[in-house]
Amino acid sequence: MKTTALIKSACLSSIFFLAMAFSCQDHNIPDPEPTASCNLADGTPRAFPCEFEIVKIDFMEKNAKKVMSTATQSDSNVTLNTAHAASFSVYGIQGYFRSSWRTRITLKRIAASSTPGPNEYITRDIRANNEINDPITTPDSNFKKLSFNIAVGDTISFASTVFIEGGYRGGGNYSVSLGYLATIQNVATSALLQKPPYNYTFIQDLAEAKINYFPTIIDQY
């Protein structure tokens, strides 16, 4: 009987400590690790953790009230109807086109800002013809600043505009041979990373988050 009581006591003690361990784990949730998209263009880690993950980019119809197509981190293909472009111009019967599109970007904060300041951000969209061919040719100061401050784990959505161009072969035959990359930069962090000892020269290396999208352009009225 004494042995049985000891076994029962040991089992109850084990269950108690196991429950306490799970309880501690539940209340000690680690901070999110920076995503793979936080790496530099050459695959090495960025000097500072990335603040955000771009959850999705919605391409909106012309009235900006209805979603036409959505790019996510797992599915970057979007189909865009020329009837709902913010602007669309074709140059020559067999030439090229230029267009702009209203979008809604959804961000999730995964880390705090690495620099003190007013939490000002800019967005860019670039041709993703390869992983490093995105030198900084337009200074950050040329872009309209966004200002927001959200806690780690929270999300925010805001309106933006992207520009897409490609070939045109007539008869509604549009071709976009390269994908695009939408990015968001912290203005203060971006300025710091462009100075020694970092000397970053690529847009995606400055980005706090980025997402690829590969557009297919169609005529459908």
Side-chain angles (χ1 to χ4, degrees):
M1 291 293 292
K2 186 178 294 186
T3 303
T4 303
L6 287 172
I7 291 173
K8 286 182 178 179
S9 176
C11 289
L12 288 171
S13 298
S14 298
I15 292 170
F16 173 76
F17 285 116
L18 187 61
M20 286 294 291
F22 278 119
S23 177
C24 291
Q25 289 175 3
D26 287 344
H27 290 84
N28 187 24
I29 300 172
D31 292 334
E33 291 293 331
T35 61
S37 62
C38 193
N39 291 340
L40 302 181
D42 63 6
T44 59
R46 190 170 176 260
F48 304 132
C50 284
E51 291 184 46
F52 302 106
E53 177 185 16
I54 297 181
V55 177
K56 62 178 181 175
I57 176 170
D58 293 318
F59 288 79
M60 312 300 292
E61 292 190 350
K62 182 175 285 187
N63 61 14
K65 294 180 180 179
K66 185 177 179 181
V67 176
M68 176 171 41
S69 195
T70 299
T72 65
Q73 295 291 347
S74 60
D75 186 356
S76 54
N77 296 303
V78 292
T79 300
L80 307 179
N81 184 345
T82 59
H84 291 293
S87 66
F88 199 94
S89 299
V90 173
Y91 301 88
I93 296 176
Q94 292 194 351
Y96 63 99
F97 74 89
R98 287 178 176 169
S99 61
S100 64
W101 307 82
R102 293 185 176 90
T103 63
R104 182 177 61 202
I105 297 175
T106 299
L107 297 175
K108 179 179 181 181
R109 183 178 282 283
I110 60 173
S113 172
S114 299
T115 51
N119 292 305
E120 292 182 331
Y121 301 91
I122 62 171
T123 61
R124 296 179 186 252
D125 57 288
I126 57 176
R127 298 295 294 272
N129 49 340
N130 61 54
E131 281 300 301
I132 60 173
N133 190 15
D134 62 341
I136 303 163
T137 55
T138 306
D140 294 349
S141 58
N142 283 31
F143 293 83
K144 181 180 178 181
K145 294 182 178 67
L146 304 168
S147 181
F148 53 83
N149 187 19
I150 59 173
V152 172
D154 286 353
T155 60
I156 189 172
S157 296
F158 57 87
S160 185
T161 301
V162 301
F163 300 88
I164 297 172
E165 60 184 41
Y168 180 63
R169 298 294 176 263
N173 184 9
Y174 305 99
S175 63
V176 182
S177 57
L178 302 171
Y180 283 79
L181 192 69
T183 69
I184 184 166
Q185 297 168 225
N186 180 312
V187 174
T189 305
S190 178
L192 181 61
L193 289 174
Q194 292 178 68
K195 298 175 181 178
Y198 310 107
N199 299 313
Y200 287 3
T201 58
F202 296 122
I203 293 169
Q204 66 175 301
D205 290 350
L206 302 176
E208 299 298 333
K210 49 187 177 276
I211 188 171
N212 286 295
Y213 59 94
F214 296 90
T216 297
I217 309 298
I218 62 171
D219 283 334
Q220 186 176 335
Y221 298 96

